[in-house]
Amino acid sequence: MTRVGAIAVLLFVSSVCVASGESYIPGQRVEGDFDSVAQPFLVRHCVDCHGGTDPESGLSLEDLGPVDEVNAATWKSVWAQVALKEMPPEDVDAPEVIERLKFSDWIVGELTQAMRDKGGFHAYLDPDKGNFVDHDLLFGQLPEGIELVPTSTPARIWRVTPQEHLTRLNELINTEPAYDPKRPGLRTHGDAVPTNHGGELKLYFGTDRIIKWQGGTVAYATAVKSVPAVLSTARSHGLENYPDFYTVNSAEATQILSIAEDIIRYMAYGPLSIAEPYQITDDPASIADKWKGDIRGLPTSIVYSTKVVRPITPVYDLMNEEGVSDERIRAAVDYLFEALTFRPPRPEESDRYLAIVRESIDTLGKEDGAVLGLSAIFLEPDALFRPELVRYGEPDPYGRVMLQDWELGLAVNHALRYIRPDEPLRQAILEGRMRTREDVRREVERMLADDSIRKPRILQFFRDYFDYDLGGYICKDNRALADTGVTIRGTSHYRAMFDATASTDRLVELILQEDQDVLRQLLTTDLVVATKNDNVYFGRRRTREEVAASIAEAKRRAAEAAKKAAAELEAWKKANPGKEPPKPKKPPRDNTNHKVEPVNLKGPRIFARVSRRSFGNGSMKPERTLATAPPGQRMGILTHPSWLVSHSDAMDNHAIRRGRWIRERLLGGGIPDVPITVDAMLPDEPKSTLRERMRVTREEYCWTCHQKMDPLGLPFEMFNHAGLYRTTEQDRPVDTTGEIIDSGDPELDGEVADALELIERIANSERAEEVFVRHAFRFWMGRNETLNDAPVLQEAHRAYRESGGSMKALLVSLLTSDAFLYRTPGEPHTVRDRK
């Protein structure tokens, strides 16, 4: 039989199987090779357009063979197009649902196998590709023939995040204030260590004891002992905390050991481990004679109070009492082990570290030996990773094992917190009361109901979901930034953006506190948490005519003031003949910002959670105003400067990035990766509007994808790239029109006048809620959803809707689901170095 004849037979058999109601379990291994699975699909649905001498988009699939390293990029593109239902187009023979699923799963399996020893194939695991799973199949009625199996999550090992790691270390050397219900926005014990005003994630030693320093804030900044975040992240936006993303490399391990020594010495001696004894005094004047010469920027430029504020632990007892006993060593070992791993050591673990510390002391002496020996605990695997390997428990008929005891308790704790389990949860684990779904429900509901239990993981989800915390890291061209109307003095803009992130954090918390219609409130609220700088950032960029009128008015006022001063001087001379007239007063400097019409954001005083003092007077301030945004100009987080600047670039807005965000995060659509053959650059035309420059994306080759992004991002042209509201661009009325295309919900589709209409329409849609639930699932499960997770997602959405849009109800549903509770043993889904 010829090859063509064989393909014809396969096509006939395939059509018979599909027509006869073939069943399929999504995600299962697809048996068959290229000839039996892929070739029939390509011939039936693809090669008519992607074959011959003039294939569509220049891509010919006629000679595409089995998956290998050489053609992997082409197969990845085919997978994306088929999974997203971009191809085959609607006007050709469309594959049946099962046929499409099988073909997509086959490609993933083949790519995974072919690339196993060549860097691997991970695209389908990336949260940006989570939307490749058909939304209608997840939340709608499954067609006949698709069989779901009870879901679970692969056994895996999670590396702790940089935020979680630093927060753990912070617990060892700093005491944070208890929750104050009168000032709920202030930093509280259990909150994550926030970035400083320069956007750095650092842990500082003893800053709450510093009472004076010599040489200004620069000296302070260079003299303060600090620990930077050592564990790296592989992503700059979106959901970050997937087990598949991260590992700990040797360089990071070496840094952790160095940090461990500093921390242990500080636990034992306090500031004496980083300062001279004379620097610890309540009377800085008493050491004035020590401050001779130029000591700016040196550790000796700082004075510490005598007050002890760090935790006093068994490490202190070991290092400050004479002699060495196994009892003291074991107490320090056990304390440090649980502080770093969040669980008590097993007897063999305690014995092992006791022997390590004892041998180190015998070799190096007590102080250096204890420090070196205890430092080893900082590299204990459970101090850097959280295993979910279900080594205990019996598999159910589907091969799933439920987490239990410490694995389950720490999974629940990690879902909400960055510090060790509180006493009720710890006791529940020790007493065997963390083994059932109801046990999890009890602890989750208890922690969610207690505001004094800080839950930074919830806030981190909203940061990852909205991506509003990137504004301070967008490096702006000074000239372009100055044209927006904001000040470019020093680092003022970047500090304003880090302030804006803290303000948006606080707004999210206020809406979570009400816990009703959470997503819609975040998208449509008129509330603003603001600093004084926000009177400009929430203001309106004046037109050229208004700027000219403002400057003219300032000149008129200056001329009138000069005329008045001259008249007063003449009057004085007449009244005082022969006397020397006084020197004329220098006219006050005109600080008017002619480019901006500021707003006056008024309201009650509240507080935002900012970093502890790290750079003296340069630190962010917690005081904020809870105000109302200018009506008709702002609506929800997507119109706040924190989000707008986070989705801009150095010179201008980024309508494509904003449109993609809305397509993926609110509408649940997916966008294939940009082909490497595409020069994704807009023309450099300073006199053209962004919309005009984006004409290149309307070329046939580009518009297939860009029509789903650009019309969603362009309505935000009503704001400039510093987040100010504007009515003109390039001295012409700004065009804010846009359109929702192929959203998946016909009632959503259609033209919009501006960003406010776009947001309002999407915020009222059920689809946006469902997509929000999908992202919450990814964040708390640490993986992408599959079709087998459909019952979990539908139940979570039902809980959200029936509770009136409660985030707490959504979390209880997700954290008591099979996807959260069950693991499939076998080869663990381990971390990989994705850098």
Side-chain angles (χ1 to χ4, degrees), residues 128 131 660-669 671 771 775:
D128 288 345
N131 290 349
R660 181 166 187 162
W661 187 95
I662 292 169
R663 171 66 59 180
E664 293 179 340
R665 308 289 175 87
L666 295 181
L667 299 177
I671 306 294
V771 175
H775 283 83

Side-chain angles (χ1 to χ4, degrees), residues 537-705:
Y537 281 92
F538 278 88
R540 181 178 68 85
R541 177 64 164 88
R542 289 183 170 127
T543 65
R544 173 182 286 188
E545 292 76 17
E546 290 172 328
V547 171
S550 178
I551 293 173
E553 174 62 19
K555 289 180 177 179
R556 186 191 63 78
R557 290 196 304 267
E560 283 190 355
K563 184 178 180 181
K564 181 180 178 182
E568 291 175 348
L569 180 59
E570 285 301 317
W572 188 92
K573 288 179 178 179
K574 288 180 180 179
N576 300 276
K579 292 186 178 180
E580 184 71 23
K583 289 184 178 180
K585 292 181 180 179
K586 191 174 182 180
R589 183 176 180 180
D590 180 18
N591 292 318
T592 303
N593 185 341
H594 299 290
K595 295 180 179 179
V596 177
E597 182 182 301
V599 295
N600 188 9
L601 296 173
K602 293 182 177 180
R605 187 190 193 201
I606 62 171
F607 299 89
R609 194 162 295 113
V610 298
S611 63
R612 66 169 49 243
R613 188 174 71 179
S614 57
F615 281 77
N617 294 331
S619 296
M620 293 190 292
K621 303 294 190 297
E623 294 81 8
R624 298 290 193 276
T625 298
L626 181 61
T628 301
Q633 297 181 11
R634 309 275 177 170
M635 176 186 289
I637 286 178
L638 304 190
T639 65
H640 288 196
S642 59
W643 190 86
L644 294 166
V645 177
S646 291
H647 296 80
S648 69
D649 60 27
M651 303 291 293
D652 210 336
N653 288 328
H654 205 310
I656 299 170
R657 184 178 297 158
R658 291 172 180 176
R660 181 166 187 162
W661 187 95
I662 292 169
R663 171 66 59 180
E664 293 179 340
R665 308 289 175 87
L666 295 181
L667 299 177
I671 306 294
D673 293 335
V674 178
I676 59 174
T677 56
V678 173
D679 182 16
M681 295 288 291
L682 299 181
D684 183 14
E685 299 172 352
K687 299 299 183 181
S688 298
T689 67
L690 180 62
R691 186 183 291 264
E692 291 169 340
R693 293 164 57 217
M694 285 174 61
R695 67 184 180 276
V696 296
T697 67
R698 288 185 169 270
E699 295 175 3
E700 182 179 357
Y701 185 65
C702 305
W703 189 238
T704 301
C705 291

Side-chain angles (χ1 to χ4, degrees), residues 14 48 82 143 171 175 185 193 243 250 313 342 359 392 406 441 450 530-531 566 600 615 632 729 804 826 829:
S14 174
D48 279 352
V82 171
E171 290 285 286
T175 53
V193 173
S250 58
T313 71
F342 292 1
E359 181 180 356
Y392 310 99
W406 280 104
R441 183 182 301 276
D450 188 346
T531 65
N600 188 9
F615 281 77
E729 181 185 11
H829 197 176

Side-chain angles (χ1 to χ4, degrees), residues 649-829:
D649 60 27
M651 303 291 293
D652 210 336
N653 288 328
H654 205 310
I656 299 170
R657 184 178 297 158
R658 291 172 180 176
R660 181 166 187 162
W661 187 95
I662 292 169
R663 171 66 59 180
E664 293 179 340
R665 308 289 175 87
L666 295 181
L667 299 177
I671 306 294
D673 293 335
V674 178
I676 59 174
T677 56
V678 173
D679 182 16
M681 295 288 291
L682 299 181
D684 183 14
E685 299 172 352
K687 299 299 183 181
S688 298
T689 67
L690 180 62
R691 186 183 291 264
E692 291 169 340
R693 293 164 57 217
M694 285 174 61
R695 67 184 180 276
V696 296
T697 67
R698 288 185 169 270
E699 295 175 3
E700 182 179 357
Y701 185 65
C702 305
W703 189 238
T704 301
C705 291
H706 276 275
Q707 66 177 333
K708 299 183 178 181
M709 299 182 291
D710 299 5
L712 297 173
L714 285 168
F716 291 89
E717 289 302 283
M718 61 193 294
F719 308 99
N720 65 26
H721 65 99
L724 279 71
Y725 177 75
R726 66 180 178 181
T727 57
T728 61
E729 181 185 11
Q730 297 290 354
D731 300 322
R732 287 172 278 167
V734 65
D735 185 352
T736 63
T737 58
E739 186 176 5
I740 303 175
I741 300 170
D742 292 337
S743 67
D745 180 357
E747 294 185 4
L748 273 176
D749 292 348
E751 296 180 353
V752 295
D754 56 24
L756 305 191
E757 183 181 346
L758 173 73
I759 293 168
E760 183 73 42
R761 188 182 299 180
I762 295 176
N764 289 325
S765 72
E766 186 172 348
R767 185 179 182 89
E769 287 183 354
E770 293 169 347
V771 175
F772 176 71
V773 169
R774 292 181 69 173
H775 283 83
F777 176 97
R778 293 173 206 169
F779 182 86
W780 272 281
M781 304 304 145
R783 65 172 176 84
N784 288 346
E785 62 273 35
T786 70
L787 281 183
N788 290 311
D789 295 309
V792 171
L793 291 162
Q794 292 174 23
E795 178 55 36
H797 182 233
R798 187 179 304 112
Y800 181 79
R801 285 189 71 83
E802 292 179 354
S803 63
S806 165
M807 191 68 193
K808 291 179 181 177
L810 173 59
L811 279 172
V812 170
S813 179
L814 289 175
L815 299 182
T816 57
S817 70
D818 283 7
F820 183 82
L821 299 176
Y822 285 91
R823 299 291 175 268
T824 306
E827 181 181 352
H829 197 176

Side-chain angles (χ1 to χ4, degrees), residues 171-202:
E171 290 285 286
L172 299 175
I173 63 173
N174 289 316
T175 53
E176 302 293 349
Y179 173 72
D180 182 356
K182 295 181 179 178
R183 293 184 173 184
L186 290 178
R187 189 172 173 203
T188 295
H189 179 237
D191 288 326
V193 173
T195 57
N196 61 30
H197 77 274
E200 299 169 300
L201 184 60
K202 283 187 174 181

